[in-house]
Amino acid sequence: MKIAYLSTFYPFRGGIAQFNARLLKALSKFAETRAFTFRRQYPDFLFPGKSQFVQADDKSEPIDSVRLLDTINPFSYFSTARIVKSYAPDILITKFWMPFFAIPLGTVLNRLKKTTFNISILDNVVPHEKRFGDIAMTKFFLQQNHLFVTMSKAVESDLLSLLPKANFIRLVHPLYDHFGEKVDTTQARRKLGLPADKFILLFFGFIREYKGLDLLIKALALLPNDFHLVVAGETYSPFNNYDKIIRELQLQDRISLFVRYVADQEVPLFFSSANLCVLPYKSATQSGIVGISYHFNLPVVATNVGSLPEMIEPYRSGLIVPKITPESIAQTIIEYSKQQKKQFVQGIQKYKTIASWDYFAERLIESSPKFAK
């Protein structure tokens, strides 16, 4: 069996590129694979971060991918389809997370759907930040696929609202297990310049309005002084508003800010230094941050949105915040701090048994009509 995987790969960086690289490696155990990626993913003026590409100090694993698709050059849509088709794949996998990619990817899929089994792994269907035309473009993309993979009930519901007869399977988001091992907590805190004697709360990942960092900062003001917040991640929206809240609440000494892209080799330091990972999201589908946290056996407190409860409650690997308010977030953090971490780590081990990349890859391959034959 031959599998083509068209999505974000090295030299692009970020969580989606990491997901794709990890899944490609697993797929390669069962089939012949080839990675195809973007010649241009976003125009620079549309990209809110510092860089789309792996930097010299990033220790990312290189992926041998063919750079073809230019999202703002329609001619590349057809040339990409032609080159991918010449590989003669049995399965073509794409990953979909925002409508910006619907037309480029959808056009490629349209040119191959008569000869190839098209599978899309859906991070989001309805975007967190909606714009005119999103639904029409997304529908076009969805109609070019034979099967969808969802990783949450929320995404499944959104998919069926746009494509009621969609063929889909739901799988658990695998753990990001490529960051290496946990390091000594004292050593990690010393390297990051964090207080050695505080209860460290970690907010990790790209900073966007819907992720509720403002709520967590306000919650910190309601917690005793022995709680300290670490914010680590590149901002995708102005950070001035958060700075203002920090100053108004006089929390400068209780927050450590690492507002920048966090390279892979730094990730163990942040998760090893923390007592708890907090996801105060205002909206969500699934979250890769949970998968990173579980890899380091770090429990999670998260708001009751999207699939976050599905990733936590059945396993008792953390606690769910009942209301999306600073008061409720603070109360749940206090509740967690009074319990034994050991019981939550045991829950994480249960999650790990079903969250493997190999299982995810096998289910994709088994879904192909060729496999059934």
Side-chain angles (χ1 to χ4, degrees), residues 14-26:
I16 292 173
Q18 292 166 353
F19 181 104
N20 293 333
R22 198 61 192 81
L23 180 55
L24 181 74
K25 185 176 180 180

Side-chain angles (χ1 to χ4, degrees), residues 40-43 45-46 69-74 76-77 100 104:
R40 175 165 42 190
Q41 182 176 226
Y42 301 98
F45 74 91
L46 289 180
L69 190 59
D70 184 335
T71 54
I72 61 171
N73 180 359
S76 78
Y77 307 172
F100 178 78

